[in-house]
Each structure stands twice: as structure tokens, then as C-alpha cells.
Amino acid sequence: KNEVEQSPQNLTAQEGEFITINCSYSVGISALHWLQQHPGGGIVSLFMLSSGKKKHGRLIATINIQEKHSSLHITASHPRDSAVYICAVNKGAQKLVFGQGTRLTINP
Amino acid sequence: DTEVTQTPKHLVMGMTNKKSLKCEQHMGHRAMYWYKQKAKKPPELMFVYSYEKLSINESVPSRFSPECPNSSLLNLHLHALQPEDSALYLCASSQVYTENYGYTFGSGTRLTVV
């Protein structure tokens, strides 16, 4: 079993829908990261969380340390949000453990 | 400057060639990373440099040779690669103590070994 599990693996939705991507982890962590990767491209860091909730534009990330669970929400989704979203956790100094990613497709 | 710059963006090399990938950042980050990413897979850590010293080598074959000449620059020297080494190579940087800081990733070098 992977130390970081994401669900769903693939998600297709219509423009405007509310999107939720989930991440569960089984190890002790110091921080959790949500990352975005467009096809063939580099990775953009969206959020780093160690507790609570963060919001940036239409993106919201939450984390529940006790339950070892985090969610990434996208409100009013748009085709440009189509990308792979990756959850990663800091396990020890300078080591990120990555989930398998969620491939999101938003249709117009 | 809040970017990690990787060059070249694309590289095709033969199995007998020697080439280098370059990564540069000017954010004052003292930790720099090389990751390898195969298609539809998450990145895999290869090397970590902390204060210009190699701190983590994830048992990477010696045909990959990292170098950190100064705090802003990270190189990956490639020699006698195999076709299975074809992948996206990502560089990242961060503060050394990452608990309260995020990572900045470059856009990657797409490497094809023929």
C-alpha cells in the first residue's frame, strides 16, 4: 500500500462544477503539499499545509491531521484547470513522498 | 526572481554521448533537488544537495552524476545512458528546513535517449 493515496485517479467534469480531490496518508508528516502539473510540463506548487485550511482564488485546500486526510477543492471549474493534481507529504527532511496523482479533465 | 530555470527544455542523445542538464535559481534556496519522472507516474527523487553538499543519493546509477558548483546552480551530467532513462527530469529548490517552506519546481528537461 502506498504511503500517500489519492482518489479519484481520474475525474472528468463539466465546466462550472465543484471539484474535490482527496488525499490520505499513512505516515507522520510535517507538511502536505498540493501540486499541479499540466501535460508535458513542470510542476507548480499550489499549497503547503500543516493544519487547517488555505484558499487561493478558486482553490481551497484542507487538512485533518488527526484523520491523516486532505482535500483539494476547485470551485467554478474551468477547462484551464485540466491537469494532474498531485498530493505530496514531507517525510523527514527534504524528502517528499508523492501520491499517484489525479488526472482532472474539465469539459466546456 | 521566484523561478527555477532548467535548460535545455528538450534533449535527444545517443547512448554514447555525454551531455549535461542545468538548473538555476536565485531565490536564496540552499537545498536543490533532481527528480526523474516517467510518463503518468509521480516524480522519483534522485539527488538532494544541501548547502552545496550532496545529502541524499537515492541509489542512482553512476551514469548520472550531479554537481552543485554554487548555491544557485545545479547540474546533472549524463554519460552512457540507456533508452529506459528517457524521462522528464525535474529540478526543484527549497529552504533547507522544509517544514515551513514550500518547494519551487522547474519546468523540466524532456530527455530522449536513442
Side-chain angles (χ1 to χ4, degrees):
Chain A
K1 191 176 189 297
N2 292 336
E3 293 174 309
V4 180
E5 294 276 358
Q6 285 185 238
S7 63
Q9 288 189 327
N10 295 283
L11 179 56
T12 300
Q14 291 299 119
E15 184 173 356
E17 286 189 38
F18 182 81
I19 302 299
T20 295
I21 299 170
N22 295 301
C23 175
S24 296
Y25 53 93
S26 57
V27 295
I29 68 169
S30 54
L32 181 143
H33 304 260
W34 282 103
L35 310 169
Q36 179 195 56
Q37 187 171 33
H38 284 282
I43 290 174
V44 174
S45 179
L46 299 175
F47 295 103
M48 186 181 73
L49 295 160
S50 54
S51 65
K53 177 179 175 178
K54 287 189 176 180
K55 184 176 190 290
H56 182 69
R58 295 180 294 105
L59 301 179
I60 303 166
T62 64
I63 188 168
N64 184 317
I65 297 293
Q66 286 73 31
E67 294 186 4
K68 296 187 174 178
H69 181 269
S70 176
S71 293
L72 176 68
H73 305 286
I74 305 175
T75 62
S77 59
H78 190 276
R80 66 175 174 267
D81 296 326
S82 299
V84 176
Y85 292 83
I86 304 170
C87 173
V89 301
N90 271 100
K91 182 186 172 187
Q94 301 165 349
K95 272 204 170 187
L96 280 180
V97 179
F98 294 87
Q100 293 297 308
T102 295
R103 190 169 301 273
L104 175 65
T105 303
I106 304 295
N107 293 319
Chain B
D1 188 351
T2 58
E3 289 186 347
V4 171
T5 303
Q6 288 189 245
T7 54
K9 293 198 182 306
H10 300 274
L11 178 63
V12 179
M13 62 184 289
M15 289 188 283
T16 59
N17 290 161
K18 286 186 182 180
K19 296 287 185 183
S20 297
L21 310 185
K22 180 180 170 182
C23 172
E24 199 164 2
Q25 57 88 17
H26 298 285
M27 294 175 283
H29 289 171
R30 301 304 296 274
M32 296 185 76
Y33 310 77
W34 280 116
Y35 288 90
K36 173 183 177 180
Q37 187 179 27
K38 301 286 273 186
K40 300 191 177 183
K41 296 290 186 184
E44 301 170 21
L45 182 64
M46 299 175 72
F47 303 104
V48 181
Y49 273 82
S50 178
Y51 295 110
E52 296 88 69
K53 292 194 181 341
L54 183 64
S55 58
I56 297 175
N57 177 344
E58 292 286 276
S59 303
V60 179
S62 59
R63 57 186 184 268
F64 295 92
S65 175
E67 178 196 22
C68 190
N70 59 57
S71 60
S72 299
L73 189 56
L74 183 67
N75 298 318
L76 186 63
H77 303 298
L78 314 173
H79 174 54
L81 295 194
Q82 302 296 310
E84 59 264 29
D85 296 322
S86 299
L88 181 69
Y89 288 83
L90 291 160
C91 175
S93 70
S94 73
Q95 300 289 355
V96 170
Y97 300 103
T98 57
E99 286 79 2
N100 297 312
Y101 301 96
Y103 293 76
T104 303
F105 287 84
S107 57
T109 294
R110 175 79 53 193
L111 174 67
T112 303
V113 181
V114 297

